[in-house]
Amino acid sequence: MSTAPAAASSDPPIPAAPPPSVSVVVPVFGNGENLRELVSRVQAALSPLVSGLELILVNDGSGRRSWQAIEALARREPQVRGIDLMHNYGQHNALLAGITRATNSIIVTMDDDLQHPPEELPKLLAAIGEGNDVAYGKPQRREHSPWRNLASRLTKRAVRAALGAQMAEKSSAFRMFRAELKEGFAGFRDAQVSIDVLLSWSADRVACVAVDHHPRRQGRSGYDLGKLLAVTLGMITGYSTLPLRLASGLGLLAATLGLGLLFWLLPQMLTADGQPSGLTLIAAMIALFAGLQLFAIGVVGEYLARMHFRTLGKPAFVIRTETAPTPRLENQDS
């Protein structure tokens, strides 16, 4: 007895997804000597995996020498575009300038000092291919000084207050995300910029990929302890209500303490022996409450100052000039 062969499936095969196109945005500040190597290593790492590639180098007020290096690369490499900002606006502002000019479906941000190895980019691209909106490259071991590591941890605490614990633990300056996310902050107009906060407004699926972190080739970081602390304060007051909640909590605690001390002092103030110590304690209470009030007023004043600067319309960046765009080059199968 023979059996009939199984009927072949009539479902058409699912076509493979086409390779994405990638824009790599690099803020440049004092590391123009690294750019040629950076561009060649990015091209070697991504060109076999993508359908289109562009590198956007943003000169963040680091002088004519860096801009001349960018212009020379743009003339020699059709995939390189350059943006020259009027002065130094800061790393995140420079990144925002490049992100707004990016034309491809995937956007990468990385530093110009080769501490983010371009050879790790395929790992981030694979994480995006798995359906994630953002992929962060988190160093397995940071090549920074102890003070810089301490300041970075403080900044992470501030990011946690603004973004939430999950994204704060994953965030890094070495990031890749879908270009659709920038539509979520297309109308953003503020000089205080945090790319991670802007991404958190739209991103839902965030991945963290372990990557290598190389020591700096030359120069020193533009972020010293003071600047990182300023960034931390800006993150907390610019994108979080945590200081207001802390001020409110301290005010409630102080009011409760004052009420309790008042009930404790009333019986003693009715006797002659208790008046001196009671007056001393009341004076201390007044100083304490006056300090707390000034603290709360200072926090509110910080928010009012930020609202004032936002109403001034101060731009996040101003572009001095940029290289002419070149036609997008598609990878051709040999």
Side-chain angles (χ1 to χ4, degrees):
M1 180 178 179
S2 61
T3 58
S9 174
S10 60
D11 295 336
I14 300 176
S21 57
V22 176
S23 298
V24 180
V25 181
V26 182
V28 179
F29 186 75
N31 290 289
E33 294 81 359
N34 297 328
L35 295 181
R36 181 178 298 181
E37 180 181 352
L38 174 65
V39 168
S40 63
R41 288 171 62 180
V42 169
Q43 290 173 329
L46 288 180
S47 292
L49 305 176
V50 301
S51 61
L53 176 64
E54 67 175 355
L55 292 95
I56 304 175
L57 308 179
V58 185
N59 184 34
D60 187 23
S62 59
R64 289 293 303 168
R65 187 174 180 180
S66 294
W67 177 240
Q68 290 170 356
I70 293 173
E71 285 184 310
L73 277 171
R75 287 192 297 266
R76 185 168 52 250
E77 300 288 345
Q79 295 171 321
V80 174
R81 296 171 56 192
I83 297 175
D84 187 26
L85 301 184
M86 291 293 291
H87 60 79
N88 177 241
Y89 291 90
Q91 181 187 44
H92 286 254
N93 300 62
L95 286 173
L96 184 61
I99 289 170
T100 58
R101 295 299 193 274
T103 60
N104 289 332
S105 61
I106 302 294
I107 299 175
V108 175
T109 68
M110 57 190 304
D111 292 343
D112 64 341
D113 53 13
L114 295 175
Q115 288 191 294
H116 299 153
E119 292 74 20
E120 301 292 295
L121 287 171
K123 295 181 181 180
L124 302 184
L125 191 61
I128 294 294
E130 294 171 357
N132 293 295
D133 299 323
V134 183
Y136 284 106
K138 190 170 185 179
Q140 300 177 8
R141 180 176 179 272
R142 293 187 181 273
E143 298 290 344
H144 288 315
S145 65
W147 281 110
R148 173 66 190 275
N149 289 333
L150 174 61
S152 296
R153 283 194 289 270
L154 292 175
T155 305
K156 286 284 187 182
R157 297 287 184 181
V159 173
R160 177 178 300 198
L163 306 183
Q166 180 181 6
M167 197 162 185
E169 291 298 327
K170 298 176 180 178
S171 64
S172 163
F174 194 21
R175 57 178 81 80
M176 180 182 290
F177 57 92
R178 300 184 185 276
E180 293 84 356
L181 294 181
K182 68 180 183 178
E183 299 300 325
F185 51 86
F188 181 78
R189 297 290 182 271
D190 189 8
Q192 180 73 34
V193 180
S194 171
I195 298 300
D196 297 310
V197 171
L198 299 182
L199 291 176
S200 71
W201 293 352
S202 305
D204 180 50
R205 303 171 184 173
V206 181
C208 183
V209 180
V211 297
D212 291 333
H213 190 257
H214 293 175
R216 182 181 297 274
R217 290 283 189 88
Q218 59 183 3
R220 54 185 301 180
S221 173
Y223 281 100
D224 55 17
L225 181 60
K227 286 186 177 180
L228 283 173
L229 291 177
V231 169
T232 301
L233 178 62
M235 287 283 295
I236 293 177
T237 58
Y239 299 99
S240 171
T241 59
L242 178 62
L244 287 177
R245 292 181 178 178
L246 288 176
S248 300
L250 287 174
L252 180 61
L253 179 62
T256 304
L257 177 63
L259 185 62
L261 288 175
L262 178 62
F263 282 112
W264 180 71
L265 284 170
L266 280 175
Q268 298 186 21
M269 294 178 63
L270 297 177
T271 63
D273 295 337
Q275 286 183 1
S277 61
L279 290 175
T280 303
L281 190 54
I282 289 175
M285 289 172 55
I286 292 175
L288 173 63
F289 295 155
L292 289 174
Q293 288 176 345
L294 289 175
F295 173 76
I297 291 173
V299 172
V300 175
E302 184 73 23
Y303 280 88
L304 290 176
R306 293 192 175 275
M307 292 176 62
H308 168 68
F309 286 122
R310 290 185 182 183
T311 57
L312 290 178
K314 183 179 180 181
F317 58 87
V318 176
I319 295 175
R320 183 187 305 276
T321 184
E322 57 185 307
T323 58
T326 55
R328 183 181 302 176
L329 297 181
E330 307 291 337
N331 286 347
Q332 301 293 334
D333 296 333
S334 55

